[in-house]
Amino acid sequence: DAQYAHPAEPLPPPLQLALEQIGVSRLYAHQAESIERVRAGKSIVIETGTASGKTLCYNLPVLETLLEGPSACALYIFPTKALAQDQIRAVTELADGHPALRSALNVYAYDGDTPQYQRRPIREKVNLLVTNPDMLHLAILPHHSRWSRFFANLRFVVVDEMHTYRGTFGSHVANVIRRLTRICHYYGATPQFICCSATIANPLELATHLTNQTLDVIH
């Protein structure tokens, strides 16, 4: 049976109202626990079943942070463009539930399909960047000086579907993420990692190897 819980501190009213707009009247226990761990400054890995609401586990604390600090930024990493677009729709639908959220959110995809003329404006105003490991490796990290504002204010890195990459490039994804971490440190930021998976048996082990971080696991 489903288990429900409330965060120790209620979500900001705009977020609560936005959740009601999408039909969410209460949170699952793992969602509330995720919010609490992230609020406490922890990096986490969420391992729950398919369609268990993992998206809210990271969207809620990220949007809460963007509401509180307009300069804060977040990076979402997904393995495919289609999944990235799905998640952009999900966070946009949630933010559209309240004007304060909508004005606080500047979300953009940055991948191989992003036209050149859009890339500079995105770098200048984005606070929630959605990309994939390939684009992070090829087009963002090598040009980190162009992203200095973003990296200096990066609070969260979300790695979803963390088990998907295979082959030669897949074996190097952990090194790409380590490079990301070093660049963040160069600009004075220490982002929290939020990793998710529904289908692997060793989520904590894999997330630790990927991020080189100490994480709390949420089942």
Side-chain angles (χ1 to χ4, degrees), residues 75 77 133-145 147 151 154 157 169 172-187 189 191 193 209-213:
L75 174 65
I77 304 172
D134 308 75
M135 196 68 175
L136 185 65
H137 174 59
L138 292 171
I140 298 176
L141 298 183
H143 308 288
H144 58 83
S145 61
W147 295 86
F151 285 124
L154 189 59
V157 177
F169 184 77
H172 290 282
V173 169
N175 287 328
V176 173
I177 294 178
R178 279 164 173 74
R179 186 182 183 194
L180 167 65
T181 302
R182 289 196 301 271
I183 288 173
C184 290
H185 289 171
Y186 176 78
Y187 289 103
F193 280 83
H209 286 318
L210 275 177
T211 66
N212 199 32
Q213 304 280 322

Side-chain angles (χ1 to χ4, degrees), residues 60-141:
L60 292 178
V62 167
L63 287 174
E64 181 178 54
T65 300
L66 296 185
L67 275 173
E68 294 171 350
S71 63
C73 295
L75 174 65
Y76 286 11
I77 304 172
F78 298 101
T80 67
K81 296 176 186 176
L83 184 57
Q85 291 299 323
D86 288 344
Q87 296 305 318
I88 289 175
R89 283 191 290 270
V91 72
T92 301
E93 179 186 9
L94 180 58
D96 283 344
H98 196 279
L101 284 174
R102 183 62 268 178
S103 63
L105 177 67
N106 290 308
V107 57
Y108 294 94
Y110 198 86
D111 56 36
D113 293 334
T114 306
Q116 288 293 333
Y117 71 89
Q118 291 183 0
R119 296 188 178 191
R120 181 175 179 178
I122 288 174
R123 291 195 298 267
E124 290 175 349
K125 60 186 177 182
V126 66
N127 62 7
L128 201 170
L129 184 69
V130 182
T131 191
N132 54 67
D134 308 75
M135 196 68 175
L136 185 65
H137 174 59
L138 292 171
I140 298 176
L141 298 183

Side-chain angles (χ1 to χ4, degrees), residues 19 24 37 63 71 89 110 147 155 165 196 200 203 214 216:
L19 285 172
V24 177
R37 300 286 182 94
L63 287 174
S71 63
R89 283 191 290 270
Y110 198 86
W147 295 86
R155 296 283 303 278
Y165 270 81
C196 301
I200 59 174
T214 300
D216 291 353

Side-chain angles (χ1 to χ4, degrees), residues 186-203:
Y186 176 78
Y187 289 103
T190 307
Q192 295 169 245
F193 280 83
I194 304 174
C195 303
C196 301
S197 180
T199 58
I200 59 174
N202 62 336

